[in-house]
Amino acid sequence: MITTIEDNLLRWNNSPSCKNIIVKSSFPKAFSAGGDVVHIAKGSPESYRDNVAFFVDEYKANHTMGTMKKPVVAIIDGITMGGGVGAAVHFPFRVSTEKTMLAMPETLIGFFPDVGTSFTLSRLDNNLGMFLGLTGHRLRGKDVFYAGFSTHYIHSSNLQLLEKRLSMQITDSIDETRAILDSVSELSASSEYTYSLAPYLHTINKCFGHRKLEDIYESLKSEPVHKEWAAKTLNELNRMSPSSLKVSLELFNRARYLSIKECLDLEAQIASKIIFSNDFVQGVTELLITKKNNPKWNPHNIYTVDYDTIINTYFSNFNPEYNCNFRNSIDYHDYPFAHHTLPSSDNIIESAIDTNYSFSSTNNTEKINSIVAKLSKKYHNSADVSAKVNHYLKNYSIAELRDLYLSERNSRNPNKYFYTNYFKTHATNKSSKL
């Protein structure tokens, strides 16, 4: 099916009569619950090459999705998991609704977050992608928008209106598509920041910013503020395949410095190896086939998974036969459609510094409005931009913002030194609220 989708996308992409493309599900409860990994886990040695080809074809299609010339709108109304995330997140526009439930639960079946999400997750705000990719945490409703997976949040009752307006689009301009989406999403916009993960973002950044899984565990165990949340998160991690957790974290550590093509090629190589593993067969069998939910992981905990074995097994001796033969030469390190989502915490912090925001003052309403106006020109969703800006600038101390900003993920920013130096000079009072 994935090759049929890709062929149709390419045909419409080259059609002069096509003004935009809408990707949606014909099922009312799900956009896509993911790829069929059951037949792969049941596969015989004779079917190995075909099984690897399944993943390679899927990853090639993901690249095509991320390099379309025509504006594409994915309407992710309902369950969106695994391969379904890959079938949406690479398009320039993604619409979530109050019915959306999005997750990457691959570590629970002995696999890893693939379909190009190593690129996406490693670039989310505040190490959020590490948390989501390792724990399989489920985002619901507007949280999908706040996390950065969708570019617009629209109530499902307005989807028919959206499709009608898109059908009347005059040109194939991505700006015209954006204007239509903005006009409909404004009907669901809110000045209230209702992100359920908002209280934990600083803790997520701190705990999941480590390069070693053991350090993430220790950070969660010693979390002083959100103890209950940390304990719950540890319980979730302990359900996952220990080997998959280490494979996934190593993949994320590398992906943040790789291009989209390099991420997809690396995922193909890992997939070609991991489908032979005990944990993949155990995970798929116990969770998806027999549904006994009692996989026998081997090794059985993270402390007995040898790091060198992970590297030698999954990140070495690559087979060029399993590289993706992409349909075009387009490649990128920075996501080209990031300006269609909400501004990142980095964008907010940098804008505050650029406008000489007074971090120690309690009377900053005028400055905040100025920052919102500046960011809204680029990111459009003015009410939602305002909600996020106000949350960050009113609820975090300058020291906390420094910690969010100085995480390793941000090292690609060419102006990094300027902002880093600012925090070295100003972020001395850890209790000072913004």
Side-chain angles (χ1 to χ4, degrees), residues 67-339:
T67 55
M68 296 281 288
K69 293 182 296 182
K70 295 290 175 72
V72 185
V73 180
I75 300 178
I76 49 177
D77 181 35
I79 298 171
T80 307
M81 302 176 74
V85 177
V89 75
H90 301 294
F91 291 127
F93 300 113
R94 292 90 60 194
V95 175
S96 59
T97 75
E98 79 284 358
K99 299 178 182 178
T100 306
M101 188 283 287
L102 183 147
M104 291 297 294
E106 280 70 20
T107 56
L108 186 59
I109 59 168
F111 201 58
F112 66 97
D114 63 333
V115 291
T117 61
S118 63
F119 180 90
T120 306
L121 291 168
S122 63
R123 285 159 174 78
L124 292 182
D125 262 1
N126 316 137
N127 293 307
L128 178 64
M130 312 303 112
F131 164 71
L132 296 174
L134 295 179
T135 65
H137 178 84
R138 296 184 173 191
L139 296 168
R140 299 179 185 275
K142 201 164 186 177
D143 279 2
V144 177
F145 171 66
Y146 288 135
F149 283 96
S150 69
T151 59
H152 295 78
Y153 174 80
I154 295 176
H155 194 275
S156 59
S157 61
N158 291 320
L159 291 179
Q160 189 174 0
L161 172 64
L162 172 65
E163 292 189 46
K164 180 179 179 180
R165 291 187 181 180
L166 287 172
S167 70
M168 299 170 65
Q169 186 166 331
I170 298 172
T171 72
D172 61 1
S173 163
I174 198 165
D175 291 333
E176 185 179 357
T177 304
R178 173 67 194 254
I180 292 171
L181 284 160
D182 288 347
S183 68
V184 180
S185 68
E186 285 177 1
L187 301 174
S188 306
S190 172
S191 59
E192 184 181 358
Y193 196 60
T194 58
Y195 190 16
S196 69
L197 289 178
Y200 311 109
L201 292 179
H202 186 265
T203 302
I204 288 172
N205 182 66
K206 177 181 63 176
C207 293
F208 286 85
H210 299 286
R211 296 180 65 87
K212 292 183 177 181
L213 192 60
E214 291 84 353
D215 293 336
I216 291 176
Y217 267 59
E218 292 308 309
S219 186
L220 287 168
K221 289 177 181 178
S222 60
E223 165 57 30
V225 179
H226 298 293
K227 295 181 180 180
E228 184 177 346
W229 176 88
K232 182 180 178 181
T233 301
L234 273 171
N235 286 337
E236 285 301 305
L237 287 172
N238 286 331
R239 296 176 59 217
M240 310 302 172
S241 156
S243 295
S244 288
L245 289 174
K246 288 207 170 180
V247 168
S248 300
L249 184 58
E250 179 63 23
L251 173 60
F252 296 150
N253 288 338
R254 297 183 182 213
R256 66 182 69 189
Y257 304 111
L258 301 179
S259 70
I260 182 63
K261 280 187 171 181
E262 290 169 333
C263 285
L264 290 164
D265 268 333
L266 180 54
E267 289 177 6
Q269 295 294 336
I270 297 172
S272 73
K273 301 167 184 290
I274 206 168
I275 59 175
F276 279 119
S277 70
N278 167 81
D279 284 12
F280 177 70
V281 175
Q282 277 285 313
V284 173
T285 301
E286 290 290 315
L287 274 298
L288 303 179
I289 300 176
T290 66
K291 301 186 187 301
K292 293 180 179 179
N293 298 326
N294 187 32
K296 303 296 189 296
W297 305 131
N298 185 24
H300 68 283
N301 65 53
I302 67 162
Y303 301 102
T304 54
V305 179
D306 181 63
Y307 176 76
D308 290 337
T309 300
I310 293 293
I311 299 302
N312 293 332
T313 303
Y314 299 106
F315 296 89
S316 304
N317 302 315
F318 292 157
N319 187 340
E321 181 182 353
Y322 302 134
N323 286 338
C324 302
N325 184 21
F326 299 108
R327 297 284 193 115
N328 63 63
S329 61
I330 300 173
D331 201 9
Y332 47 80
H333 280 83
D334 297 314
Y335 184 54
F337 308 118
H339 59 288

